[in-house]
Every structure is written in C-alpha cells, then in structure tokens.
C-alpha cells in the first residue's frame, strides 16, 4: 500500500471515529455506486451484438443484490454467495462479462479477503472463479472471443480485489500488533514504576529501621547507665548524659536526611542532606556504644581495600544493627567486631559473649523483629550473604561476606 492510500485510509478511519454514522454513510454511497456500475454493465455488448432480452427482472435482481452488501460486516460469506449467484445468472443469460457488471462481486470478494481467514478466502475465491469461467465459456455473449481472452479477463479481475483485500488485512493486523505492543509496553512501564516505588519504599524502610533502632537502643542504654551511676559517680553520669544529647541529635539528623528523600522540592540534589554513612564513621559508632557501657573490640585482618558506596553503606549498617541487638538483648556486654579482607570479599563478624539461649532467642528475630531480616536483605542486595546464630561456646554471632567489587547490575540495586 503506497503512502497516498495510507493517508486516505487513515483519514477515513479518523472520520469514522469522529462521526459514528460515517461508516453507514460510506456503505450506502458504495451500494449506490455499485448499482450504477451494474446497471451500466447490463447496457454493454460486443459490437454488432444486441443485448439479451430478459426484461427488467434480472437488472432489478442485480440492483437488489447490491443492497445485500450492506451486511458485509456481519454476513460476509452469505453476501459473497448471493452476489456471485446473481452475477453468474446474469452472465448465463447472455450479458457481457465486464468489470462494470462484476463490480458488486468484486466488492464482495474484497471484503471477504479483508474480514475472513485465508482458508475461507481461497475456498470461496476458487469456487466463484471456476463457476464464473465455466458459465462464461458457454455464454452467448462471449462466443465470438477466443477461449484465452475469455479465461484471462475474469481471472485478472477476480484477482484484483483479493490482492487488495489481503493487503488491507495485513495492514490492519500490523496496526493491531503495533497497538498491542504499545499497550504491553505501557503496562510494562507501569509495572516497572510500581516495582521501583516498592523497592524505594523497602530501602527507606530499612534506613528508618536502622536509624531508629540504633539510636533508640543506644539512648536507652545511655539513660539506664546514667541513672545507675547518678549517685555513685555523678561526674560520669553527667558525661553519659552529654553523650545522650549527642545521640539524640545524631538521630534527628539521620532521620531528617532519610525522610528528606521523600520530599519533592526545588533544592539542588543532595543539598541539606547528610551523606550516607560508611566504615569511615565506624570509630564514632563504636565510641557511642562504649559510652553506653558496651565493651567493643575491633580487629582487622588483611590489607584494607577501598569499598564501593553500596558495600560501604551495607557494611556500616550491618555492624550498626548487630551492635544494636547486642545493646538491647545481650546480658554480657563484651562484643568483638572483626573485618577480614580477602581477595574478592570482605568478611565481617560481630559476636558477643554470654549464654547461647539468651542471645539466640532475641538476636535471630524470633520475637518478631526485623533487624536480622534487614541485615540479610542488605547483604543480598549487593551480592553478599549473611549468617546469624548462636555460638557453640555461648553468645551470638553475625557473619556476613560482602563482595569487594560487586557487579554493576547488583551495585545499581543496592540501597
């Protein structure tokens, strides 16, 4: 189909969508034009030959058969059978087979090719063409023409609407396929957007959990220690209360930074937001727990490597959550934090002393907490893994292995 035909078809479709009665107007106009063509075709004859004397009955029947074409959308096969039967009857009575006389049948064959499957089109086209050729060979109107011309003419004219209808059907199928792909792409974009929103909510939920759980547990431990030392050691109690003020201020800053991600304003990216913490802030984190009475020992094996932002944040949050669990649940305050730098992975171990039953019940999240689950999700989000459980010699241990150089795809998904 050339560009002019495509523009014409698109224009007709636009009118049809804008005016609901436009298709019916086009159909009536088409039927009237076909009646005129059929009537004009009955007036044609070969030079020196007279038209067959059949009265007006056959001409009226040809006109009525054109009105049957108004039902081509719902009764396509019936329309073809009726129009073909009347056309073949007219040729059998001696009318000259011309494109004008065949116009109603050609229109019916076109819509058959557009609306029906290929098998049906081939069957009806073959039967109609064979019947037409058979009657035409023995018709009085064609007796002076050679059999070759008698066969070539009808076959050529019958092939034209079939080819045109097939092209129109292919274009319609193509447009439907394009529309289907566009709808699928739109649904995919919506699903991807919902997935990204869900992932962002999960990331922010993990950040909020880590910030709130860490600082509240630390503040609770500092307040309890200060209350315990308020009489026996007032000076140390005041020092702990000063540290408690710093703890609450730090909590407010981190909460502001995390919740600031939810705001949509005109500030430049990152303005007013605290940068994501990493292992560089580990001494500050350890000091805050020591001020609350927790004995933390840090040791390192291997040569320290630079970490990607995702791994750095994940390592910090896992250590922070593990220490928070110790401060909240462990009866023994001695805690060991170890970092082992291997060839491709960073192994982090956080363990505490004490009875196995006391720390295992609370540390593994059996009581309904989300700490261990959040640590495991963080590790898995960058391609690492995490194990947690009671130690044989007592206490509880959290071990995680994080990749030093995570793949780009995994790193892009890390919080």
């Amino acid at each position: 189909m050339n560009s002019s035909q495509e523009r014409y078809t698109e224009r007709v479709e636009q009118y049809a969508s804008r005016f609901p009665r436009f298709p019916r107007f086009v159909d009536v106009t088409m039927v009237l034009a076909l009646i005129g063509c059929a009537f004009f075709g009955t007036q044609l004859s070969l030079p020196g030959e007279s038209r067959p004397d059949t009265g007006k009955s056959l001409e009226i029947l040809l006109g009525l058969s054109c009105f049957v074409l108004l039902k081509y959308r719902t009764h396509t096969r019936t329309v073809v059978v009726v129009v073909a039967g009347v056309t073949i009857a007219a040729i059998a009575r001696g009318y000259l087979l011309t494109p004008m006389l065949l116009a109603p049948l050609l229109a019916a064959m076109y819509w058959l090719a557009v609306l029906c499957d290929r098998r049906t089109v081939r069957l009806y086209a073959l039967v109609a063409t064979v019947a037409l050729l058979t009657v035409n060979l023995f018709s009085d109107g064609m007796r002076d023409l050679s059999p070759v011309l008698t066969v070539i003419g009808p076959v050529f004219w019958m092939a034209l609407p079939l080819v045109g209808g097939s092209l129109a059907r292919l274009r319609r199928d193509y447009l439907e396929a394009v529309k289907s792909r566009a709808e699928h792409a739109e649904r995919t974009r919506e699903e991807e957007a919902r997935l990204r929103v869900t992932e962002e909510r999960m990331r922010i939920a993990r950040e909020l959990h880590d910030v709130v759980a860490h600082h509240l547990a630390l503040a609770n431990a500092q307040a309890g220690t200060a209350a315990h030392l308020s009489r026996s050691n007032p000076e140390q109690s005041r020092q702990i209360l000063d540290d408690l003020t710093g703890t609450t201020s730090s909590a407010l800053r981190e909460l502001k930074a995390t919740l600031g991600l939810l705001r949509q304003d005109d500030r430049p990216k990152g303005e007013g937001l605290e940068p994501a913490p990493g292992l560089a802030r580990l001494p500050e984190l350890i000091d805050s727990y020591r001020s609350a009475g927790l004995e933390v020992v840090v040791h390192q094996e291997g040569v320290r490597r630079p970490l990607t932002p995702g791994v750095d944040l994940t390592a910090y949050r896992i250590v922070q959550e593990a220490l928070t669990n110790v401060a909240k649940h462990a009866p023994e305050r001695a805690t060991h934090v170890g970092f082992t730098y291997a060839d491709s992975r960073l192994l982090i171990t956080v363990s505490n002393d004490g009875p196995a039953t006391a720390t295992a019940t609370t540390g593994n999240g059996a009581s309904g907490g989300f700490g261990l689950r959040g640590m495991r999700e963080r590790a898995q989000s960058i391609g690492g893994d995490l194990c947690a459980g009671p130690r044989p010699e007592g206490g509880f241990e959290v071990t995680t292995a994080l990749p030093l150089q995570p793949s780009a795809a995994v790193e892009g998904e890390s919080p």
Side-chain angles (χ1 to χ4, degrees):
M1 185 178 293
N2 56 38
S3 58
S4 61
Q5 290 176 321
E6 290 180 355
R7 287 195 299 269
Y8 173 77
T9 304
E10 292 175 357
R11 189 174 302 174
V12 170
E13 291 175 351
Q14 291 175 358
Y15 276 110
S17 60
R18 186 179 303 176
F19 304 103
R21 296 185 178 180
F22 181 74
R24 178 59 60 181
F25 171 77
V26 174
D27 293 344
V28 172
T29 303
M30 176 191 68
V31 167
L32 295 177
L34 292 175
I35 291 175
C37 291
F39 177 77
F40 183 73
T42 59
Q43 308 302 312
L44 299 177
S45 61
L46 292 174
E49 298 288 339
S50 60
R51 294 190 306 110
D53 187 12
T54 59
K56 297 294 183 179
S57 59
L58 194 55
E59 296 177 7
I60 294 175
L61 190 61
L62 278 171
L64 293 177
S65 68
C66 294
F67 282 101
V68 178
L69 287 167
L70 293 174
K71 296 293 183 180
Y72 71 86
R73 290 187 177 90
T74 57
H75 301 81
T76 309
R77 298 173 180 84
T78 304
V79 168
V80 172
V81 171
V82 172
V83 175
V86 174
T87 303
I88 291 173
I91 296 173
R93 295 295 299 270
Y95 284 101
L96 182 63
L97 192 153
T98 61
M100 304 300 291
L101 187 66
L102 288 177
L105 179 59
L106 299 181
M109 297 303 298
Y110 172 83
W111 290 115
L112 179 74
V114 171
L115 300 175
C116 295
D117 58 278
R118 295 180 180 179
R119 182 177 180 181
T120 302
V121 173
R122 287 194 295 264
L123 177 61
Y124 278 74
L126 179 62
V127 173
T129 303
V130 171
L132 197 65
L133 291 177
T134 302
V135 174
N136 195 41
L137 286 174
F138 298 99
S139 173
D140 293 338
M142 306 294 290
R143 62 178 180 270
D144 293 335
L145 298 178
S146 65
V148 176
L149 295 178
T150 305
V151 171
I152 291 177
V155 170
F156 174 77
W157 290 113
M158 289 291 289
L160 285 181
L162 296 176
V163 173
S166 298
L167 293 177
R169 186 185 67 250
L170 290 176
R171 180 180 182 275
R172 182 195 62 191
D173 295 343
Y174 170 75
L175 294 178
E176 290 179 354
V178 170
K179 182 179 178 181
S180 177
R181 287 196 297 269
E183 293 175 352
H184 176 72
E186 184 66 24
R187 289 194 301 268
T188 303
R189 283 194 296 269
E190 292 176 356
E191 293 174 358
E192 183 178 356
R194 287 194 295 268
L195 180 61
R196 289 181 177 178
V197 170
T198 302
E199 291 177 349
E200 184 66 12
R201 288 174 177 172
M202 291 296 297
R203 186 184 71 82
I204 295 176
R206 286 197 296 265
E207 290 291 332
L208 287 175
H209 172 270
D210 291 343
V211 171
V212 172
H214 160 63
H215 288 95
L216 286 183
L218 183 58
N220 180 69
Q222 289 174 332
T225 304
H228 178 72
L229 298 175
S230 59
R231 294 185 179 180
S232 61
N233 195 340
E235 189 67 27
Q236 186 178 359
S237 177
R238 283 194 297 270
Q239 179 63 37
I240 294 176
L241 289 177
D242 291 339
D243 294 339
L244 177 59
T245 303
T247 299
T248 54
S249 300
S250 177
L252 291 175
R253 286 196 304 272
E254 290 202 38
L255 282 174
K256 182 179 179 181
T258 303
L259 295 177
L261 298 175
L262 301 176
R263 298 194 183 102
Q264 298 293 333
D265 53 27
D266 297 330
R267 292 181 304 177
K269 184 177 180 182
E271 181 181 334
L273 300 181
E274 189 176 84
L279 292 182
R281 291 178 55 182
L282 185 63
E284 177 185 345
L285 178 68
I286 299 300
D287 291 340
S288 65
Y289 280 103
R290 285 173 178 167
S291 67
L294 190 66
E295 299 177 9
V296 183
V297 178
V298 181
H299 58 89
Q300 175 182 318
E301 296 181 9
V303 180
R304 186 170 182 175
R305 313 270 189 85
L307 304 178
T308 61
V311 175
D312 199 18
L313 173 61
T314 301
Y316 179 86
R317 290 303 190 194
I318 288 177
V319 173
Q320 182 187 59
E321 180 62 30
L323 293 177
T324 300
N325 286 340
V326 172
K328 288 165 58 178
H329 305 298
E332 299 293 336
R333 295 295 188 172
T335 306
H336 303 273
V337 180
F339 297 90
T340 302
Y341 290 86
D343 293 335
S344 60
R345 301 181 79 82
L346 168 62
L347 181 66
I348 303 175
T349 304
V350 181
S351 59
N352 66 285
D353 301 330
T357 56
T359 54
T361 303
T362 55
N364 63 3
S367 61
F370 296 96
L372 181 57
R373 183 192 306 175
M375 287 190 289
R376 182 173 288 110
E377 288 178 353
R378 282 186 178 277
Q380 292 176 349
S381 68
I382 59 171
D385 52 58
L386 182 141
C387 298
R391 302 165 60 194
E393 62 273 20
F396 199 80
E397 183 176 74
V398 175
T399 304
T400 181
L402 305 178
L404 291 176
Q405 296 293 335
S407 63
V410 176
E411 174 68 16
E413 297 172 0
S414 63

